[in-house]
Amino acid sequence: MDMTRRPRRLRTDGVRPLVRETDVSASDLIAPVFVDATTDERVPIETMPGHERVPVEESVARVEEVLETGVEAIMVFGIPESKDERGSRAWASDGVVQAAVRRITDETDAYVITDVCLCEYTEHGHCGVLEETAESDPDLTVRNDETLGLLGNIAVSHARAGADMVAPSGMMDGMVGAIREALDEDGHTDVPIMSYAAKFESSFYGPFRDAADGAPAFGDRRHYQMDPANAREARREVELDVEQGADVLMVKPALPYLDVVRDVRESYDHPVAAYNVSGEYAMLHAAAEKGWLNLEAVAYESLLSIKRAGADLILTYFAEDVADRL
């Protein structure tokens, strides 16, 4: 055989790392942090091994644990002490996220991103103001335009508390524009928006809903989160967010939607984020507990695939474990 091209020449130990096309580093990763106003001690999250809800008083200690691994950015999610029909604790100046963010920004060097949504704060668990027939005969479930002002209020309250970036996740039409206008009017022109630009109605969110106590009390979120079958629609969603001033574009979930991550990467020069969601995390843990997979290896390979698809940033529950081993 006369083979002039032998790809295996570049797979020996010495040269293999030199020609590696993709790497994952700790600075690529964002670690979720759950702060719970209803508890005075850490509460393990059963469906997400290794993660827990922490009281506001423990939020700084929890973030310091993240920083020790080399991860520099966190996303704060809150579990409020009370809920109501409109989710008013989401924008309260003394709310759980606001209180935690003030502590974290005062006492650490973490880059603090906050989740801007209403599902954890509403009695019904949906991501906005309900239409009158939402439970019995829904049309669009959530009143889009009435919800936009509330999202603006939340983003402003987070920025006032010291958040470095806000991340709206409700998939409301016009949410990026409404939040940008609210932030600018309040003097927060330098606070960027990382939009959940293509967020799909996914079966991979189950453990998170346990963690953040944000499952809908009835129905589902098909009227505002995207149909998993649609990729061209994702392009339209992302384009609208770009037009409205989004600074970072997120795709959620990550692994089942790597084609969308790649499409967004090729279509826009914005930073692209992907959310390696709770179900992706939990299923790998479950398989590892059975002895079917090596958890450390598959966790790293999963994040590597997300980076290879085109993500610049990865929000992942594996952040600390992977960063600690890099």
Side-chain angles (χ1 to χ4, degrees), residues 189-206:
T189 56
D190 293 332
V191 173
I193 298 172
M194 177 165 67
S195 175
Y196 289 60
K199 180 179 178 179
F200 292 83
E201 186 207 5
S202 174
S203 299
F204 285 91
Y205 298 152

Side-chain angles (χ1 to χ4, degrees), residues 224-278:
Y224 43 102
Q225 294 177 358
M226 286 183 55
D227 185 338
N230 294 355
R232 294 192 302 274
E233 182 188 0
R235 293 183 208 143
R236 299 197 296 273
E237 281 279 9
V238 172
E239 182 178 4
L240 287 169
D241 284 4
V242 169
E243 291 172 354
Q244 292 169 37
D247 299 285
V248 181
L249 306 170
M250 182 187 285
V251 176
K252 179 183 179 182
L255 293 176
Y257 300 92
L258 293 180
D259 60 320
V260 178
V261 174
R262 168 55 61 184
D263 195 17
V264 174
R265 171 72 288 144
E266 292 178 347
S267 300
Y268 299 95
D269 59 5
H270 288 55
V272 176
Y275 197 151
N276 181 219
V277 299
S278 59

Side-chain angles (χ1 to χ4, degrees), residues 104-294:
I104 294 165
T105 55
D106 284 346
E107 300 184 41
T108 78
D109 293 326
Y111 188 83
V112 179
I113 308 168
T114 56
D115 179 61
V116 176
C117 197
L118 286 157
C119 57
E120 296 102 318
Y121 301 87
T122 54
E123 293 172 337
H124 46 75
H126 281 281
C127 300
V129 180
L130 289 185
E131 62 178 357
E132 293 180 1
T133 59
E135 187 168 0
S136 59
D137 186 23
D139 179 20
L140 291 174
T141 311
V142 169
R143 294 176 178 172
N144 190 94
D145 294 6
E146 190 173 342
T147 299
L148 296 180
L150 305 187
L151 296 178
N153 292 341
I154 298 169
V156 167
S157 73
H158 290 178
R160 287 177 177 176
D164 297 299
M165 177 185 285
V166 295
S169 61
M171 287 299 287
M172 297 295 119
D173 293 345
M175 66 181 184
V176 172
I179 290 171
R180 184 72 273 158
E181 182 178 359
L183 288 171
D184 291 353
E185 287 181 352
D186 203 62
H188 304 289
T189 56
D190 293 332
V191 173
I193 298 172
M194 177 165 67
S195 175
Y196 289 60
K199 180 179 178 179
F200 292 83
E201 186 207 5
S202 174
S203 299
F204 285 91
Y205 298 152
F208 174 87
R209 291 173 180 173
D210 292 338
D213 193 22
F218 58 85
D220 53 39
R221 292 170 176 154
R222 71 186 185 279
H223 291 146
Y224 43 102
Q225 294 177 358
M226 286 183 55
D227 185 338
N230 294 355
R232 294 192 302 274
E233 182 188 0
R235 293 183 208 143
R236 299 197 296 273
E237 281 279 9
V238 172
E239 182 178 4
L240 287 169
D241 284 4
V242 169
E243 291 172 354
Q244 292 169 37
D247 299 285
V248 181
L249 306 170
M250 182 187 285
V251 176
K252 179 183 179 182
L255 293 176
Y257 300 92
L258 293 180
D259 60 320
V260 178
V261 174
R262 168 55 61 184
D263 195 17
V264 174
R265 171 72 288 144
E266 292 178 347
S267 300
Y268 299 95
D269 59 5
H270 288 55
V272 176
Y275 197 151
N276 181 219
V277 299
S278 59
E280 300 168 43
Y281 176 84
M283 69 182 183
L284 295 185
H285 263 275
E289 288 173 6
K290 289 282 190 179
W292 297 340
L293 294 173
N294 178 298

Side-chain angles (χ1 to χ4, degrees), residues 37-59:
T38 70
T39 183
D40 56 5
E41 60 183 7
R42 298 193 180 204
V43 179
I45 302 169
E46 292 185 7
T47 52
M48 293 168 59
H51 285 271
E52 53 195 3
R53 298 180 182 184
V54 302
V56 172
E57 293 74 16
E58 286 277 332
S59 58

